[in-house]
Amino acid sequence: MKIFKEEQRFNQLWLIILMLVSTIVPISIYVKEYTENPENFSSLELIGVIFLILLASGFIFFFKLTTRIDETGIHYKFFPFHWNLKNIKWNEINKAYVRTYDPLGEYGGWGLKGGTLWNKAKGSAINVSGDIGIQLVLKSGKKLLIGTQKKNEAKSVLATYKTKFN
């Protein structure tokens, strides 16, 4: 039996630079304000504010998309939104294939996307980078796209289990 496993995180260079800039600017403002008027707030408050800014801006790097395809079905988890793997059994799937998509145009970006606030016809997407995904069309009519960086491996494993969902 073939098994597909993948873990992805938000670790793109452009995102790291964006997060650094968005962290440095407010910290610089607070440090400047503190050095010019130290009576406005205590050093403990300054450290607390810096800690909260670092924590808030670094939170995105804790996100992790885990995907597994095996003989029982397709499993995914997008931590911290999902604490356990979500399981989609082969008998619940009408179609499963790998495709190229437009993250911004089709789903509004990366992360846990779709549904009510975006293009409902496209369904939902769970992705962290790139423009390749495993498209699932469920027998219930729902659609789910799970981002992948392993296009060929995902295609190969889906082909192995094609008889289970057709």
Side-chain angles (χ1 to χ4, degrees), residues 3 13 40 42 63 74 94 111 117 125 127 135 137 151 155 159:
I3 295 176
L13 181 60
N40 285 352
S42 71
F63 286 47
I74 299 175
N94 193 32
L117 300 176
N127 53 13
Q135 179 68 64
V137 180
K151 177 182 178 177
K155 276 185 178 182

Side-chain angles (χ1 to χ4, degrees), residues 85-162:
L85 284 171
K86 302 288 182 182
N87 301 312
I88 303 172
K89 294 180 177 142
W90 289 119
N91 64 1
E92 299 171 19
I93 299 171
N94 193 32
K95 287 186 200 172
Y97 55 95
V98 176
R99 75 176 182 97
T100 301
Y101 66 100
D102 176 9
L104 290 171
E106 292 184 52
Y107 298 102
W110 294 268
L112 189 56
K113 297 292 188 171
T116 1
L117 300 176
W118 207 256
N119 187 348
K120 283 186 181 181
K122 293 285 183 183
S124 300
I126 303 170
N127 53 13
V128 297
S129 68
D131 62 353
I132 307 291
I134 302 165
Q135 179 68 64
L136 305 177
V137 180
L138 305 181
K139 289 183 179 171
S140 67
K142 291 183 179 180
K143 295 178 183 177
L144 174 66
L145 184 125
I146 303 169
T148 184
Q149 299 297 305
K150 298 180 176 181
K151 177 182 178 177
N152 294 331
E153 192 178 328
K155 276 185 178 182
S156 173
V157 173
L158 286 176
T160 301
Y161 297 112
K162 192 168 182 80

